[in-house]
Amino acid sequence: MPPAIARLPRSREGYPIPWFVAYLDDGTRDFRIAGQEQHFNARRFGLCWICGQKLGRFMAFVLGPMCAVNRVTAEPPNHRDCAVYAAKVCPFLATPSMCRRDGGTPDGLVAAAGETISRNPGASLVWVTREFKAFRAQLGNEGVLFDVGEPVETSWWAEGRPATRAEVMASIRSGLPILEAACESDDDPAESLRMLDKQYHEALALVPGEGQQSGGEPR
Ligand SMILES: [Zn+2]
């Protein structure tokens, strides 16, 4: 466990509680719910989404296979070690499904920004980059999204170990119809589908080869 994660408070079950997890009105914390304030502070001060400490030159996103295709995520970046730990131990450590708003909806909860895909991704991708861009979501739920930039290193993980090619491919294929359906509601569906096809083939270049495993420890 990275030292920055070891210093986080623990849940009753003994799991470190990620820094982004919101405080609910009764003082409890739910791993699935991120705080809007944390989201803002992560962007403003360049803090790691999982441990809350300052990021360095390299930043790492934990992505599901679909985000590996469209290169967009709702979660701010992490330290590389924090991201690998989360991808290995529990992808939900890095990818809450809800965002807590102060005020607004009656219970203060809204879905994460953009068009999220609510399903178990099967495999997680740690995407290390030197630069990314935050932007406002144009479709789906409002909020800030991240264009994850060009990767300097990628590794796939499943069930606590490096993912196999078969696992990554199954995961990507199962989600592709969802991205294709989203293209149909765009202004120019044909152009969106062409773009998706290009992104899909770029993503395939990042999938480990037959009989190989990706991931492993830092080089
Ligand atoms: Zn961290």
Side-chain angles (χ1 to χ4, degrees):
M1 186 184 289
I5 292 185
R7 284 196 292 270
L8 290 169
R10 300 289 175 109
S11 70
R12 258 197 315 225
E13 297 77 27
Y15 294 108
I17 303 174
W19 173 79
F20 67 75
V21 172
Y23 287 88
L24 304 181
D25 291 337
D26 62 1
T28 60
R29 304 179 79 187
D30 182 329
F31 278 54
R32 293 164 304 175
I33 303 171
Q36 192 183 27
E37 196 185 326
Q38 284 91 324
H39 203 279
F40 178 80
N41 286 335
R43 297 193 320 266
R44 178 158 186 214
F45 302 113
L47 306 179
C48 171
W49 188 228
I50 297 173
C51 78
Q53 304 297 311
K54 198 107 179 111
L55 290 169
R57 209 165 124 237
F58 294 96
M59 293 151 287
F61 293 91
V62 182
L63 306 178
M66 287 299 91
C67 298
V69 173
N70 66 14
R71 302 194 173 196
V72 170
T73 179
E75 278 84 46
N78 310 283
H79 293 118
R80 185 192 173 286
D81 289 354
C82 291
V84 167
Y85 179 79
K88 254 199 226 177
V89 174
C90 175
F92 296 105
L93 280 184
T95 55
S97 54
M98 304 292 280
C99 188
R100 181 174 165 77
R101 289 257 160 99
D102 305 318
T105 57
D107 61 358
L109 295 181
V110 293
E115 297 186 281
T116 55
I117 299 171
S118 305
R119 63 194 191 92
N120 188 331
S124 298
L125 172 60
V126 174
W127 179 285
V128 184
T129 186
R130 259 187 282 240
E131 53 182 4
F132 66 90
K133 262 200 283 261
F135 66 97
R136 291 247 149 232
Q138 302 291 316
L139 291 167
N141 306 303
E142 63 176 287
V144 174
L145 295 173
F146 301 91
D147 174 334
V148 299
E150 283 301 316
V152 294
E153 179 193 300
T154 57
S155 60
W156 292 91
W157 302 87
E159 294 173 7
R161 50 159 176 76
T164 64
R165 176 178 179 83
E167 285 168 331
V168 175
M169 289 308 296
S171 199
I172 288 183
R173 286 203 188 102
S174 74
L176 200 58
I178 303 170
L179 288 180
E180 285 169 348
C183 288
E184 300 293 342
S185 57
D186 283 352
D187 291 341
D188 186 348
E191 177 57 26
S192 297
L193 284 167
R194 258 197 304 277
M195 182 60 111
L196 177 60
D197 188 61
K198 182 171 170 273
Q199 291 176 324
Y200 175 70
H201 284 96
E202 283 169 2
L204 290 188
L206 301 173
V207 177
E210 203 70 61
Q212 284 180 346
Q213 289 195 328
S214 82
E217 295 308 318
R219 288 182 295 277

